[in-house]
Amino acid sequence: MSPIRYYIFVFLVGFCTLIFAQKDGVDDPDLLSVRVQEHIVQAQIHSDRGDYFSANDYLIKALKIAEKIDDKVSQGKIHTKIAKVQYLVDKPDQANVSLNKALKIQREIEDYGSQAVTYNIKGVFNSNKEEYDSALEYFKSAKNLFEQEDLEEYIPEVTLNEAKVYIAQKRYDEAKSQLESTMILAKKYDQRRLLSSALIQSSKVSSALGNTELALSQANTGIEIAQSYDIVENINEGYLTLSEIHEKNEDYKSSYDYIKKHIKLSDSLLNIQRADLTFSATGESAYAYRAAENAQLKRQVDEVTAESSFTRITTVLSIALITILSLLTLSLYKNNNIRLKTNNMLHKKNDELIVAKEKAELASKTKANFLSTVTHELRTPLYAVTGLTNMLLEENPKEHQVPHLKSLKFSGDYLLTFINDILQINKIEANKVELDPEVFNLKNKIENVISALGNSAKDNGTNLHFEYEDGLPETFNGDQLKISQILINLLGNAIKFTKDGDIWVRAYKFKQKDNLYSLRFEIEDNGIGITKEKQDHMFESFSQGSVQINRKYGGTGLGLSIVKGLIHILKGKIYLKSELGKGTTFFFELPLEHIEEVKQAKEVEIKKSNKMEDLDLSEVKILIVEDNKINQMITKKILNKMGLYCDVVDNGEDAVEQVKAETYNVVLMDIHMPGISGLEATKIIRTFDKELTIFALTAVTLEDKMHEFGEAGFNDIISKPFKQEDFEQKLFDVLSGKEVTSSFF
């Protein structure tokens, strides 16, 4: 099972089954929902390869399942994808029917983001039929909906399509404006295909406006980007554009050279399509395509002949080339079956690699989007659960209620830990974990970890022993936070599975070259041990020996997967030995550089010296910007308990007006709200107030989004649900005049 299916299963099925009994079987809507997404992914892979018939088959399967489970959102999206495939196989009438079905569903359920995608495709269809006014209306509607839904990354494709329409209408100034917008957004979201295409389209505009030098530069830059990322369609479009620019500039030789490149590449694209289409479809496509190419080439050669006597020889050669190409086309058509079999044999392995790569990329993107959505949707109610639970525990509940509240608090904390573990695994798998080396005292670091987990060991009746090799240096340069996390996970596991026993933590050198030490760490216990069969899977996600062990001892089964990932990042390795009933030993090895100057060593200490009572809070005012009524109440109560006065507004527009009208010390800004988002509200506030402290109080935590908060003007982010002491410390730092250390840099 792929990692993304693990995550979907655990979040949408597995965790729920721990709370509510659900029936198993093929009619389980969650499992069927997963099947829908699998078919859609397969359809995309086949469509990208040009195998539109297989893509259509997968989409029909997905649609049937979506209809069975009444998944309206997926139904709308699938009808849109079916329309694209139908249009590509020259069935425009059927494509329009599918688009209308999609729009009907999307309007009914108010799925505005998907509706915008459908409008964009409608616009492309109308544009290809030269119904330009209708096309522009659809593009405008699509852009408005994307802006409304805060989906800016989808807008550059729409503006690029608008620009193509304006170019066709020779409205070059309007086309130029749209292309500039496309390039700005394409660069922002690293959309190389759109950036390359926008540059090539811009070269057409520049040529039409008489700036040949700029036109050539733009076209060449667009082609270079396309070549770097193997975007063949853009390369082909670029060659044709350069040919037209050189022809207009009366450089007929260069024009001819580029048209030859265009034809050669077009042939390659046609051959790729042949490998996936049926024999009859291939033959028809070949004749139609070649006829169009020959006609276009002959027209261009005739025009060049009329312009200059220099082209007479070129004309003769071109006509000869046309004749040869036509004969070659006939030959290719007659031998198509043989060539298809040969190509399939030669390219089978390469195709398998391409499919595997595309599948992995699509799965990775799907997983990232899924995690982003699930994280936000789970953290928002978790903020209410943990906040209300803490309040109830502090408000003198009845004695018989306390155990229930503590159980609720434990469940909320457990789920939050689970979410954080999932996010860390995602970062590790996406290679987004960066090293942060610094000089530190290794012996002190291990002692601190042992001390921090001492109470847990004591509760289990377990003794901890620490052995640090005599003569082994103590100061090293390395990522001490990741080393701490590895030790905490391994030692925490040992404590969990060892009752009334002993655990040994050892550190020693097994290799040295100059100041580079290869260190080995051991965490040995005499606990329950692990069977031979389970040892091979211990470092996989969601593996914990057995379901019975998971239920008895708790935990998510993610800790060892995280440990293995972190050790790999630190260029180390890990292994284990264990015997059931006798205990387990984990070994891991890390390369660390010894630093001679002991005085440089430092330990990271987090000081929670929050003394709000020492501050004069009588004039302090805080603005809470939050649309969720429960979260408003929780945050306000927390601030009131700290002796702070606060106002509350529930949208970004009111937040801007409130900041203009009142003087606040701190603004706590939610991100996802009706109207303008917290990001947009903060950008507006920063136009007239650069000094106000604004914290993003949000459930968004994926670090690849952090730059957006910094660019918008936030001072820092407070992730919901938060630890109250961390929240208080950030406020204390601001109110006491201490400089805020941002999380964004």
Side-chain angles (χ1 to χ4, degrees):
M1 186 181 289
S2 66
I4 181 60
R5 291 179 65 194
Y6 267 127
Y7 295 135
I8 296 173
F9 179 81
V10 170
F11 273 112
L12 300 182
V13 183
F15 189 80
C16 294
T17 56
L18 295 176
I19 305 171
F20 303 105
Q22 294 183 352
K23 69 173 186 176
D24 295 322
V26 294
D27 290 330
D28 190 313
D30 292 319
L31 295 178
L32 290 174
S33 180
V34 173
R35 189 70 56 78
V36 169
Q37 298 308 315
E38 288 177 341
H39 287 326
I40 291 173
V41 169
Q42 286 294 329
Q44 186 63 53
I45 291 170
H46 285 282
S47 179
D48 289 345
R49 295 174 59 206
D51 186 357
Y52 303 123
F53 303 109
S54 296
N56 190 66
D57 288 343
Y58 275 109
L59 290 171
I60 295 299
K61 291 177 184 177
L63 181 60
K64 288 179 179 178
I65 299 173
E67 288 173 344
K68 181 177 181 180
I69 61 177
D70 198 30
D71 181 355
K72 296 289 188 183
V73 173
S74 293
Q75 288 175 39
K77 292 178 180 177
I78 293 166
H79 278 301
T80 300
K81 292 178 182 295
I82 289 173
K84 289 173 68 176
V85 171
Q86 290 169 331
Y87 195 84
L88 289 168
V89 296
D90 199 25
K91 295 180 179 178
D93 293 333
Q94 292 182 25
N96 271 313
V97 171
S98 295
L99 282 183
N100 290 333
K101 288 180 181 178
L103 284 172
K104 182 180 178 182
I105 294 170
Q106 289 156 359
R107 287 171 182 148
E108 181 181 301
I109 63 174
E110 298 182 346
D111 184 3
Y112 298 122
S114 299
Q115 190 176 332
V117 173
T118 307
Y119 279 151
N120 184 43
I121 295 169
K122 270 266 193 185
V124 173
F125 288 4
N126 279 272
S127 174
N128 289 339
K129 291 190 294 183
E130 297 185 3
E131 296 172 1
Y132 296 130
D133 291 337
S134 296
L136 290 172
E137 284 298 318
Y138 278 117
F139 292 143
K140 182 180 178 181
S141 298
K143 193 160 57 174
N144 288 339
L145 284 175
F146 282 139
E147 290 172 349
Q148 172 188 309
E149 296 301 299
D150 198 20
L151 296 171
E152 189 183 59
E153 65 268 32
Y154 293 96
I155 292 176
E157 184 159 5
V158 182
T159 53
L160 178 62
N161 289 333
E162 283 182 300
K164 289 178 180 178
V165 170
Y166 288 135
I167 291 171
Q169 294 179 314
K170 298 184 179 180
R171 295 161 63 179
Y172 297 117
D173 289 333
E174 291 163 283
K176 182 180 178 183
S177 175
Q178 294 301 320
L179 289 168
E180 287 172 352
S181 297
T182 302
M183 288 187 280
I184 290 170
L185 290 175
K187 288 176 183 176
K188 179 177 179 180
Y189 293 102
D190 200 27
Q191 297 167 333
R192 307 303 174 92
R193 180 183 64 82
L194 295 177
L195 178 59
S196 168
S197 182
L199 282 163
I200 292 167
Q201 297 299 322
S202 294
S203 71
K204 296 179 182 180
V205 172
S206 297
S207 177
L209 295 175
N211 194 337
T212 303
E213 185 175 346
L214 178 59
L216 291 172
S217 174
Q218 289 170 329
N220 283 314
T221 303
I223 291 172
E224 287 171 8
I225 294 171
Q227 288 172 333
S228 299
Y229 294 89
D230 199 26
I231 309 168
V232 182
E233 292 81 6
N234 287 2
I235 298 171
N236 206 26
E237 174 80 3
Y239 287 156
L240 182 60
T241 302
L242 281 174
S243 174
E244 292 169 351
I245 294 171
H246 283 299
E247 178 188 343
K248 182 179 179 181
N249 203 37
E250 299 184 359
D251 184 352
Y252 303 115
K253 186 177 184 306
S254 296
S255 175
Y256 180 67
D257 289 339
Y258 279 109
I259 202 67
K260 283 199 299 182
K261 288 184 178 182
H262 171 67
I263 291 173
K264 183 178 179 181
L265 190 53
S266 296
D267 286 339
S268 299
L269 289 171
L270 183 61
N271 287 336
I272 291 170
Q273 291 173 350
R274 281 195 184 114
D276 290 304
L277 295 173
T278 62
F279 174 78
S280 60
T282 305
E284 291 170 7
S285 298
Y287 273 122
Y289 186 87
R290 185 60 61 209
E293 285 294 338
N294 291 346
Q296 180 185 25
L297 181 59
K298 192 173 186 311
R299 279 198 308 272
Q300 290 188 351
V301 171
D302 288 341
E303 289 169 4
V304 172
T305 304
E307 295 285 340
S308 170
S309 59
F310 166 80
T311 60
R312 291 178 181 174
I313 296 175
T314 304
T315 303
V316 174
L317 292 174
S318 299
I319 294 172
L321 178 62
I322 292 169
T323 305
I324 292 169
L325 288 173
S326 300
L327 292 171
L328 179 60
T329 301
L330 180 61
S331 175
L332 289 171
Y333 179 72
K334 287 181 178 180
N335 293 283
N336 192 57
N337 272 336
I338 297 172
R339 293 185 62 211
L340 281 174
K341 291 178 182 178
T342 304
N343 286 341
N344 285 338
M345 291 177 63
L346 290 173
H347 297 295
K348 183 178 179 181
K349 290 295 181 185
N350 189 45
D351 285 347
E352 289 174 355
L353 291 172
I354 292 171
V355 170
K357 179 175 178 292
E358 291 172 340
K359 199 171 183 179
E361 289 173 350
L362 282 168
S364 178
K365 185 176 180 181
T366 303
K367 181 173 70 177
N369 291 336
F370 170 77
L371 285 173
S372 178
T373 302
V374 167
T375 298
H376 183 267
E377 293 305 317
L378 286 177
R379 282 179 174 272
T380 299
L382 263 180
Y383 179 55
V385 171
T386 57
L388 288 172
T389 304
N390 285 329
M391 285 181 188
L392 290 171
L393 283 169
E394 292 172 1
E395 291 176 357
N396 299 318
K398 294 178 181 179
E399 188 174 345
H400 71 275
Q401 294 175 329
V402 172
H404 302 305
L405 290 172
K406 287 185 176 179
S407 296
L408 184 59
K409 184 178 187 302
F410 172 81
S411 298
D413 291 341
Y414 173 87
L415 184 53
L416 182 59
T417 300
F418 189 38
I419 293 168
N420 290 336
D421 284 349
I422 289 285
L423 289 173
Q424 181 152 24
I425 285 177
N426 185 58
K427 281 182 62 182
I428 290 170
E429 291 179 351
N431 295 318
K432 291 185 177 180
V433 179
E434 296 181 357
L435 291 175
D436 185 19
E438 56 185 320
V439 180
F440 71 104
N441 188 298
L442 177 62
K443 186 177 181 182
N444 289 347
K445 177 60 61 181
I446 300 173
E447 288 173 340
N448 289 342
V449 170
I450 293 172
S451 175
L453 297 175
N455 286 335
S456 298
K458 187 177 180 181
D459 292 342
N460 257 12
T462 299
N463 299 311
L464 300 180
H465 311 276
F466 178 37
E467 300 173 10
Y468 195 86
E469 183 181 24
D470 291 339
L472 180 65
E474 296 183 9
T475 54
F476 291 90
N477 186 36
D479 194 325
Q480 61 165 323
L481 294 178
K482 291 181 179 59
I483 293 171
S484 291
Q485 191 171 2
I486 293 166
L487 291 167
I488 288 169
N489 267 296
L490 292 177
L491 184 54
N493 256 8
I495 293 170
K496 187 193 306 181
F497 298 115
T498 306
K499 188 169 180 62
D500 299 322
D502 292 275
I503 297 173
W504 295 266
V505 181
R506 305 184 184 96
Y508 55 91
K509 174 191 75 177
F510 75 95
K511 197 186 298 182
Q512 177 188 357
K513 184 177 181 181
D514 299 326
N515 285 337
L516 185 62
Y517 282 68
S518 293
L519 301 182
R520 180 172 290 158
F521 302 84
E522 295 180 11
I523 290 85
E524 179 186 355
D525 66 66
N526 54 13
I528 64 172
I530 308 166
T531 64
K532 293 287 185 186
E533 294 77 16
K534 300 297 181 184
Q535 288 179 30
D536 293 337
H537 306 286
M538 287 307 296
F539 295 104
E540 296 176 4
S541 298
F542 307 106
S543 176
Q544 219 186 41
S546 73
V547 175
Q548 290 77 15
I549 288 174
N550 184 32
R551 288 175 178 169
K552 181 176 179 180
Y553 294 95
T556 63
L558 297 173
L560 291 179
S561 180
I562 292 171
V563 163
K564 185 178 181 181
L566 292 175
I567 289 174
H568 176 73
I569 290 166
L570 295 172
K571 303 188 184 304
K573 55 185 178 179
I574 184 170
Y575 44 98
L576 70 94
K577 68 175 183 179
S578 182
E579 188 174 346
L580 193 64
K582 294 187 177 180
T584 302
T585 304
F586 281 92
F587 307 84
F588 69 95
E589 298 167 0
L590 294 177
L592 288 174
E593 181 189 8
H594 167 50
I595 301 298
E596 297 287 349
E597 298 179 23
V598 180
K599 64 181 181 180
Q600 291 183 13
K602 62 180 181 179
E603 283 295 305
V604 174
E605 296 181 10
I606 302 175
K607 298 182 179 179
K608 304 288 185 183
S609 56
N610 181 7
K611 297 180 180 179
M612 288 295 227
E613 63 272 15
D614 295 339
L615 299 176
D616 179 9
L617 304 178
S618 60
E619 300 297 324
V620 172
K621 293 181 68 176
I622 295 179
L623 177 63
I624 300 169
V625 188
E626 167 71 71
D627 65 310
N628 185 291
K629 298 298 182 184
I630 296 175
N631 291 348
Q632 287 177 6
M633 181 265 291
I634 292 170
T635 307
K636 187 172 182 178
K637 272 207 166 190
I638 291 171
L639 292 171
N640 290 159
K641 278 184 64 181
M642 295 164 61
L644 293 164
Y645 171 82
C646 56
D647 291 328
V648 179
V649 295
D650 59 11
N651 61 76
E653 291 92 339
D654 288 350
V656 174
E657 296 305 315
Q658 195 72 14
V659 170
K660 286 180 179 178
E662 298 283 345
T663 300
Y664 291 99
N665 299 83
V666 178
V667 174
L668 301 175
M669 181 80 72
D670 189 27
I671 298 302
H672 297 293
M673 296 181 291
I676 65 173
S677 68
L679 288 168
E680 292 302 318
T682 301
K683 289 177 183 177
I684 295 170
I685 291 172
R686 287 306 183 209
T687 62
F688 62 85
D689 192 334
K690 306 288 187 184
E691 304 301 322
L692 176 62
T693 299
I694 307 178
F695 287 134
L697 185 60
T698 177
V700 177
T701 57
L702 290 183
E703 293 192 11
D704 56 353
K705 298 283 186 183
M706 287 296 189
H707 70 279
E708 294 183 13
F709 294 102
E711 291 170 359
F714 285 100
N715 296 85
D716 204 348
I717 180 172
I718 299 174
S719 179
K720 294 188 294 191
F722 52 77
K723 290 183 179 179
Q724 189 162 330
E725 59 268 26
D726 294 339
F727 179 54
E728 291 178 358
Q729 185 64 45
K730 287 182 183 288
L731 286 178
F732 176 75
D733 290 344
V734 172
L735 300 177
S736 61
K738 183 178 177 182
E739 184 178 350
V740 178
T741 303
S742 175
S743 304
F744 310 130
F745 305 103

